[in-house]
Amino acid sequence: MDHLSPILLGFLGSLAAGLMTALGALPVLFGRVPGRAMRDALLGFAAGVMLSASFFSLIIPALDAGTERYGDGALPAAIVVVAILLGMGLVALMNEKLPHEHFRSGREGPQSASLRRIWLFIIAITIHNFPEGLAVGVGFGADGFAGGLPLATGIGLQNAPEGLAVAVALLGEGYPRWRAWGIAALTGLVEPLGGLIGAGVITVAAPLLPWGLAFAAGAMLYVISHEIIPETHRSGHQNKATLGLAIGLVLMLFLDVWLG
């Protein structure tokens, strides 16, 4: 793998992670799907993986990269802080300006009656998945295969329960099984786009490395706080969701140390 360019690695790694969404949604094609409590636990697991990846695979390397370039002191920490806030702010802006619909709370963003309901769902999931692909791409662009593999593995693991959650929600809206699975599978394919952009920017402009790593972390942290955790606590299964989060967090920490 070392002979491949970081940009190609970023694309392939984020593509593999995105395809895990389709794999996670497969149970909807074969009859019974997990109940709400199990789905909340799996989404909690996804949040834990993303939370761990944000800090151990993105924020800490961003601080290390900033210190290596600018030396010890307040400047590397300030860069990381600003970049995290920029990442969170961009996803918040997308969440505010793009018309989309959440599975529980309903439509958000500008009114857009001409958009079909299915596309509102897809836009919401795109807002969710793009930062994940961006993070994987930044990881590969920053440090090649070794830097991106833990992130791609972790994001792929958390994409599986997300894919199942999306497909089940669409089933609840009356979509046929194959169509629900197909839409869930397609939502993961926005991640290679994010991966390509993340790897390309970091590879071409090395001084942006600490900015890019922390920016991707901020985008992921917004998704965790605004989308995943509230979803897992809506139905009274917060204890199971928190257990899932703990397992996802420590598993991703282990993978990051082992594979990194």
Side-chain angles (χ1 to χ4, degrees):
M1 285 292 203
D2 289 336
H3 64 283
L4 299 177
S5 73
I7 296 177
L8 181 57
L9 282 174
F11 174 77
L12 294 176
S14 54
L15 175 62
L19 289 175
M20 287 296 292
T21 306
L23 184 63
L26 280 176
V28 302
L29 298 179
F30 303 105
R32 188 173 180 179
V33 297
R36 178 71 197 187
M38 177 58 70
R39 298 202 306 271
D40 285 343
L42 291 172
L43 280 177
F45 173 85
V49 168
M50 292 176 69
L51 187 62
S52 186
S54 296
F55 282 90
F56 296 109
S57 298
L58 292 170
I59 293 176
I60 292 176
L63 289 167
D64 291 341
T67 300
E68 182 178 344
R69 178 167 292 274
Y70 301 108
D72 294 326
L75 183 57
I79 288 173
V80 169
V81 167
V82 171
I84 289 173
L85 294 176
L86 287 174
M88 297 183 78
L90 177 62
V91 182
L93 183 65
M94 292 170 61
N95 194 67
E96 180 70 23
K97 298 300 182 183
L98 292 178
H100 62 283
E101 188 164 323
H102 295 274
F103 294 124
R104 293 283 176 178
S105 58
R107 183 171 299 186
E108 292 185 4
Q111 295 297 317
S112 184
S114 63
L115 288 177
R116 293 175 60 190
R117 183 180 180 84
I118 185 173
W119 290 110
L120 294 177
F121 280 123
I122 290 173
I123 291 172
I125 300 160
T126 299
I127 294 172
H128 183 113
N129 283 345
F130 181 80
E132 298 174 5
L134 180 69
V136 173
V138 167
F140 279 108
D143 199 22
F145 187 74
L149 180 60
L151 272 168
T153 303
I155 296 300
L157 285 173
Q158 65 89 28
N159 274 344
E162 283 185 10
L164 179 61
V166 169
V168 169
L170 290 173
L171 279 180
E173 296 294 329
Y175 289 96
R177 292 182 181 274
W178 274 103
R179 194 176 183 195
W181 176 83
I183 294 170
L186 286 174
T187 62
L189 295 183
V190 71
E191 293 197 10
L193 175 61
L196 198 61
I197 293 173
V201 170
I202 295 303
T203 301
V204 172
L208 294 178
L209 176 57
W211 290 92
L213 289 167
F215 181 91
M220 288 176 62
L221 288 171
Y222 181 90
V223 169
I224 295 166
S225 177
H226 191 268
E227 300 282 347
I228 301 182
I229 291 178
E231 183 69 21
T232 64
H233 286 215
R234 282 198 177 102
S235 301
H237 304 132
Q238 54 266 27
N239 289 338
K240 292 182 176 64
T242 301
L243 176 62
L245 184 146
I247 294 172
L249 190 148
V250 298
L251 177 62
M252 183 59 195
L253 170 60
F254 177 79
L255 289 173
D256 188 70
V257 174
W258 179 38
L259 298 176

